[in-house]
Structures are given as structure tokens and as C-alpha cells.
Amino acid sequence: MSAIAPEIVATIILIVLAAGVNFAISAVLRGKLGLTRETKLRASILWRNTLLLITTLVFLYVWRGELQAAALSLAALSVALVIAGKELLTSVLGYIHRTTSGSFRFGDVIEINGIKGEVIDQTLLSTTVLEMSEEHQFTGRVAQFPNSFYVSHPLKNHSRLGDYQLGLLTVSLAPNANIQEAKSTLEEVANSVCTEYVAPTQAALRELEGEQFVLMPSAEPRVIIRMAEAGKVSLTLRYPCPSGRRTRTEQEILSRYLSAVTEMPPPPCESAPARQDPPVS
């Protein structure tokens, strides 16, 4: 017992010291420093993760002798630690990859492995988001996933353009619809709704084009015709909009389009040729 006593004392001191430092940093950040909410959140997470990493390393150093003895005496535990350590290492590598690549910032809307939401927190091992549906609406749920996803799954950042972005809207057509007339109507409606968003979205695209050395599309509303299945035609609209008004802009375009389509006259029906009776012999 006396041989383990120094490690116990050191562990208690380490926990108290880490808790005190964390409390002091949190108190300072909660004060009125003139910093933005995003800056305070980033600083809080950075300090917390750094403190956690330092505390863990010191803890492993203090208990190195006992951990080594336990690992050597228990082969099954050693295998479990290797497996757990692999997942742990992958998550830490994912965190480093995300941090160094700058793929997103806190407050951005990201999508990875079927999870979509606004980033609100990140640790060395996991990332937390406010979940969003496909319609870009908050579901009220909080989703958390391991940082190892950044290594094994592609990441989509829906906020990369900043305050403006490009949205997609798909409209299905009836089998007897006039495709060209419906396409023209959808383009006119999109232009009337998104006129004020074209210029700022175009500027954001050009800025990203200069950063990444890639050719970005135009911000003007564009409609393309798609045929997913035989006999089923749909129109896909790409339109500019503010990041926080994507759903509202989409609904306004769709409402105006449906109103315009309802007012369209139905396509003319071709009269069937008159039936001729065979001559009577």
C-alpha cells in the first residue's frame, strides 16, 4: 500500500489542479472580454482539449509502472487495449486532420456518414452537432460522432461559401406536362425570388475559386431536365440564397411555381379520327 501511496497522492493533486485550471479559464472566458461567441467557444474547446491531453499524459506517466505490470500480466486485457487504442488513435488523428485542414468552423453546417447538422462542440475524440433534416430544418436532436469519421468518410460543408450558398430544388412533372414551358416558368420564378442574392453569392464563389484554384459555377439560377426513369421527367433548379434562408427561399420558389403552373391552360387534346364503317356489300 505504501508503494502505491505516492501515485494516489499525485493523482489527487493532478485532478484538483486540472479542475482548478479549467474552472479559472471558463470563468475568464465567460467574462466580458469583447470577444465574439464563436471566438470564446473556440478558445474554450482548445483549452479544454489541451488540458485533457496534458492531464492524460501526466496520469499515464505517474501510473506507468502499474500499467506496464497489468499489461504484461493480463494478455486478454492487452489485446483489448490494443483494439481500443487503435480506435482512440484514429479519433485523435481525425481531430488533428480536421484542425489542420480547416474543413469547417464552429457554426458551420456539415454532413458526414449520414449525419447532418450545425457544429456546436468538438473534443479530441468526438464532434457534436445540432441535427438537421434534408430540408435544412433543425430536428431538435443532438448528434455526436467519433472523429475517426474524418479519416474514413467524406465530409460535406454546406456553409463553405459563408453567408450565401447554392441550393438545389427538384420538381417532378406530370406525364402530359409541357416540359419547355415548365422549365421556363421555373427559371422565371427563381430569377424573381433570387435576384438580390446573385451578386453576393457570385462574390463568395469567386473568393472560393481564388482560394482553391478551381472553376466554380455561376450563381445565376439554372434549370436542367432530368429523366430518372422511363417516362418520368423532373426539373432540377440550382439557385443562390442566404445560408440561413435556404428553406424559406426554396418554399417561396416552389409556391410561386405551383401558382404559375396552376394558372397555365391545359395542353390541347388531340381529337380521335372519326371511325369509318366498312362498306356494305
Side-chain angles (χ1 to χ4, degrees):
M1 182 67 182
S2 59
I4 305 180
E7 285 80 2
I8 297 178
V9 174
T11 301
I12 296 175
I13 295 175
L14 179 63
I15 294 175
V16 173
L17 183 61
V21 172
N22 183 61
F23 178 79
I25 294 174
S26 300
V28 172
L29 292 176
R30 280 194 297 267
K32 298 181 179 179
L33 299 179
L35 302 177
T36 63
R37 173 182 174 271
E38 181 181 343
T39 303
K40 289 183 178 181
L41 179 61
R42 188 185 301 112
S44 175
I45 293 175
L46 176 62
W47 276 109
R48 186 177 60 193
N49 292 338
T50 303
L51 184 62
L52 176 62
L53 179 61
I54 294 175
T55 304
T56 302
L57 293 176
V58 175
F59 179 82
L60 293 176
Y61 177 79
V62 170
W63 291 90
R64 63 189 184 281
E66 286 69 19
L67 291 175
Q68 183 179 5
L72 292 176
S73 60
L74 300 175
L77 178 61
S78 299
V79 174
L81 288 175
V82 169
I83 297 176
K86 179 182 178 181
E87 182 67 23
L88 178 66
L89 179 61
T90 306
S91 294
V92 174
L93 290 177
Y95 173 81
I96 296 174
H97 168 69
R98 203 291 303 172
T99 304
T100 55
S101 64
S103 53
F104 65 84
R105 299 176 299 178
F106 294 103
D108 285 358
V109 177
I110 65 171
E111 184 176 357
I112 186 170
N113 196 29
I115 301 175
K116 179 181 178 181
E118 179 181 328
V119 181
I120 59 174
D121 193 12
Q122 185 179 43
T123 66
L124 285 172
L125 304 181
S126 64
T127 301
T128 305
V129 299
L130 290 176
E131 189 182 53
M132 304 180 75
S133 64
E134 289 297 326
E135 293 76 22
H136 222 67
Q137 295 284 342
F138 287 109
T139 63
R141 297 188 294 263
V142 175
Q144 190 176 60
F145 58 88
N147 291 336
S148 57
F149 278 13
Y150 300 129
V151 180
S152 56
H153 298 284
L155 171 70
K156 297 179 183 179
N157 187 345
H158 296 272
S159 305
R160 188 64 180 86
L161 295 180
D163 295 333
Y164 291 87
Q165 62 179 234
L166 294 175
L168 292 177
L169 172 63
T170 300
V171 177
S172 300
L173 299 182
N176 60 342
N178 188 322
I179 299 176
Q180 292 300 327
E181 189 173 357
K183 179 176 181 291
S184 300
T185 302
L186 186 58
E187 285 180 343
E188 292 175 2
V189 169
N191 281 313
S192 64
V193 174
C194 304
T195 301
E196 60 180 307
Y197 308 143
V198 173
T201 305
Q202 190 70 38
L205 288 169
R206 296 289 81 83
E207 183 179 353
L208 182 61
E209 189 177 75
E211 293 177 0
Q212 303 296 331
F213 302 102
V214 293
L215 183 62
M216 300 300 293
S218 172
E220 296 284 344
R222 290 289 184 271
V223 178
I224 61 174
I225 303 173
R226 293 186 179 275
M227 181 173 286
E229 300 177 7
K232 293 185 178 180
V233 180
S234 63
L235 302 178
T236 299
L237 167 68
R238 186 187 70 214
Y239 61 93
C241 63
S243 300
R245 294 173 57 92
R246 176 178 173 179
T247 302
R248 186 177 301 179
T249 305
E250 176 184 300
Q251 290 299 306
E252 186 174 356
I253 293 173
L254 191 57
S255 298
R256 293 192 185 185
Y257 169 78
L258 292 177
S259 298
V261 170
T262 304
E263 297 173 358
M264 289 183 183
C269 298
E270 296 182 359
S271 57
R275 179 180 176 182
Q276 296 181 356
D277 296 329
V280 179
S281 56

